[in-house]
Amino acid sequence: MKITVIGTGYVGLVSGACLADVGNDVLCLDLDAEKIRILEAGGMPIHEPGLLDIVRANVAAGRLRFTTDVERAVAHGTIQFIAVGTPPDEDGSADLQYVLAAARNIGRHMTDYKVVVDKSTVPVGTGDQVRQAIAAALAARGADVPYAVVSNPEFLKEGAAIDDFMRPDRIVVGADDERAIQLMRALYAPFQRNHERLVVMDIRSAELTKYAANAMLATRISFMNELANLAEKLGADIEMVRQGIGADPRIGYHFLYPGCGYGGSCFPKDVQALRRTARDAAGVELRVLAAVEAANEAQKHVLIRKIQARFGADLAGRRFALWGLAFKPNTDDMREAPSRYLIADLLAAGASVVAHDPVAMDEARRIHGAEPRLAYAATPQEALAGADALVIVTEWKVFRSPDFAAMKQALRQPVVFDGRNLYDPGEMRARGFEYLPIGRAQG
């Protein structure tokens, strides 16, 4: 099947590569000429495990190509995926300018039947706007060409996106055109040979499903963070609580890990956008999500509160080793990452920071620029040298089983603030560390 993917960001590139990998003829469009140059040269503009190998293999096989030519891209695919960014506006709503520009371009150039698929995360009602944008572009040409609009939201986890696409839990398709539904069934047939995973619904329900999924996951995280903070006050152990409630099959263990707040490109943006949609489209305030957002904003400062409680409000002359910059492991994405808030808090209090992350240090340099009190270490151990304490912000596997004796020797004081609860408090105390995790025994 011939497919066009508009946008070669995280969602577009993963989707295009995976669709090509099962035999489709995929053309990816991006107006960023530099990004297309990198891809055509065999490079990769984003970090996602396994993606580079799939892209290179399918480019070599002739099933995956890249272009900046809009007319060529529209002519190519019967199915046109819109996978462009929807960044938040200042008021928290999703900015649809790139989605609607893509829709207008399709309307300007299409000459035969197209299925236009919203893959980007968009507010409820965007399908109607896309349909209207295409209709207006066709009317301006005096053309009458059939088309269908479909909502097919992505459910990809950064760091595990290839597996998520190839082995999906569910494939949500929002559509009201039977021909389009059959094309989507055929497109996704290779990904559901074991059992039916495709769920067909109306477009608005599909759009809301994506926001609801991310809002639910964000809610679980903030709930556990609130409980962790309470557990500290009450002398309880949040890890024991997690195991106790997770054993209930109605609750389960997923997304019950407390920490220093959620970040990334999805949860913060989507919670804000869903709240804004509720207010603007329905006059409703989603009070639970308001609390989720407020709790998360507060949790991003939980580590500085612990650090200042231990070392005092004035951290001038103090040096802190920071392990982890990305918002989660297996990505270099630092959008809304807790590390950004912690670095800002530490610098504002007068401290200096030496950070290490397996893949996100270039992104950190781009974000923070030439900050004289922020340095980067080539290895986790190098970051520890002469530091007053270690602060763990991202749960990379490489941090899970370090050389504790070398760690203790390198630190000026054997103090560890653990924002991801990687270690056992009793074992850390037995090794001679002062260990301060989230929601567990301190000391």
Side-chain angles (χ1 to χ4, degrees):
M1 195 178 297
K2 288 190 173 183
I3 298 165
T4 293
V5 178
I6 303 168
T8 59
Y10 180 79
V11 173
L13 197 51
V14 170
S15 299
C18 291
L19 288 168
D21 205 49
V22 296
N24 293 293
D25 181 0
V26 179
L27 180 62
C28 292
L29 168 70
D30 204 295
L31 300 183
D32 185 338
E34 177 60 17
K35 188 181 290 186
I36 295 300
R37 185 197 66 76
I38 292 171
L39 289 165
E40 288 183 330
M44 180 56 56
I46 60 175
H47 178 85
E48 178 61 36
L51 181 56
L52 180 59
D53 291 340
I54 291 181
V55 168
R56 285 179 173 173
N58 284 281
V59 167
R63 293 188 299 266
L64 181 62
R65 285 161 289 156
F66 305 99
T67 187
T68 58
D69 186 333
V70 173
E71 187 172 359
R72 176 190 172 197
V74 174
H76 177 80
T78 299
I79 298 179
Q80 302 266 320
F81 279 99
I82 297 178
V84 296
T86 54
D89 273 339
E90 291 182 3
D91 62 3
S93 62
D95 184 349
L96 296 178
Q97 63 171 311
Y98 304 113
V99 171
L100 298 179
R104 284 190 289 270
N105 281 334
I106 293 170
R108 289 188 186 109
H109 297 289
M110 61 188 287
T111 58
D112 55 2
Y113 177 76
K114 301 292 181 186
V115 178
V116 181
V117 182
D118 281 327
K119 197 70 174 170
S120 303
T121 300
V122 294
V124 177
T126 300
D128 294 335
Q129 294 186 56
V130 167
R131 195 189 311 272
Q132 292 162 9
I134 296 171
L138 287 170
R141 294 167 47 200
D144 183 14
V145 183
Y147 64 95
V149 174
V150 170
S151 175
N152 174 219
E154 54 86 14
F155 297 98
L156 306 177
K157 298 185 295 292
E158 290 194 43
I162 301 299
D163 192 59
D164 285 345
F165 198 101
M166 293 296 197
R167 301 174 183 83
D169 297 316
R170 76 287 204 198
I171 301 164
V172 173
V173 172
D176 53 16
D177 181 283
E178 190 56 38
R179 182 180 176 187
I181 292 170
Q182 293 309 313
L183 282 170
M184 296 300 287
R185 286 191 184 279
L187 178 67
Y188 281 115
F191 304 98
Q192 49 176 347
R193 292 174 62 85
N194 190 23
H195 65 271
E196 178 73 23
R197 293 180 172 89
L198 196 137
V199 183
V200 178
M201 58 185 73
D202 63 276
I203 293 175
R204 285 178 173 250
S205 294
E207 292 168 340
L208 183 56
T209 295
K210 169 61 177 181
Y211 276 125
N214 279 353
M216 174 61 80
L217 297 175
T219 299
R220 288 172 69 100
I221 294 170
S222 279
F223 177 74
M224 286 303 291
N225 284 336
E226 292 271 83
L227 280 187
N229 296 336
L230 177 61
E232 281 189 20
K233 301 290 187 183
L234 299 179
D237 186 338
I238 195 62
E239 175 59 19
M240 297 296 101
V241 176
R242 183 189 72 81
Q243 293 180 30
I245 65 175
D248 186 332
R250 297 170 300 174
I251 298 173
Y253 293 102
H254 294 297
F255 282 81
L256 290 187
Y257 291 93
C260 48
Y262 62 75
S265 64
C266 295
F267 288 1
K269 173 176 70 72
D270 292 352
V271 169
Q272 287 183 7
L274 184 53
R275 290 185 62 203
R276 186 72 189 189
T277 295
R279 285 196 299 268
D280 292 351
V284 173
E285 178 59 50
L286 299 180
R287 293 185 294 273
V288 170
L289 292 189
V292 167
E293 194 171 5
N296 190 59
E297 288 306 304
Q299 198 69 11
K300 289 180 178 179
H301 302 282
V302 69
L303 287 171
I304 191 64
R305 292 196 296 270
K306 288 176 175 290
I307 291 167
Q308 290 183 315
R310 170 62 176 77
F311 289 105
D314 184 2
L315 299 176
R318 298 286 186 183
R319 177 176 175 178
F320 294 90
L322 192 153
W323 282 5
L325 292 163
F327 86 94
K328 62 180 288 188
N330 300 319
T331 181
D332 62 351
D333 193 343
M334 287 183 61
R335 285 173 287 185
E336 293 296 319
S339 68
R340 297 176 66 165
Y341 292 80
L342 177 60
I343 288 170
D345 288 341
L346 287 169
L347 295 179
S352 62
V353 177
V354 181
H356 173 79
D357 188 284
V359 302
M361 289 194 289
D362 285 344
E363 178 67 4
R365 291 185 181 97
R366 185 190 68 80
I367 290 169
H368 293 289
E371 166 56 54
R373 286 186 286 121
L374 175 59
Y376 301 94
T379 67
Q381 184 66 26
E382 183 182 314
L384 299 173
D388 289 282
L390 165 64
V391 190
I392 301 172
V393 185
T394 312
E395 63 275 31
W396 284 94
K397 286 182 179 179
V398 71
F399 302 153
R400 292 183 182 179
S401 186
D403 183 334
F404 289 104
M407 176 192 293
K408 186 177 180 182
Q409 185 175 13
L411 289 168
R412 189 178 299 169
Q413 303 176 63
V415 181
V416 177
F417 298 91
D418 190 349
R420 298 300 175 186
N421 290 358
L422 295 187
Y423 312 131
D424 179 84
E427 291 180 5
M428 290 298 284
R429 284 193 295 272
R431 293 185 178 108
F433 286 93
E434 183 179 347
Y435 183 62
L436 297 100
I438 305 291
R440 308 198 69 185
Q442 311 288 301

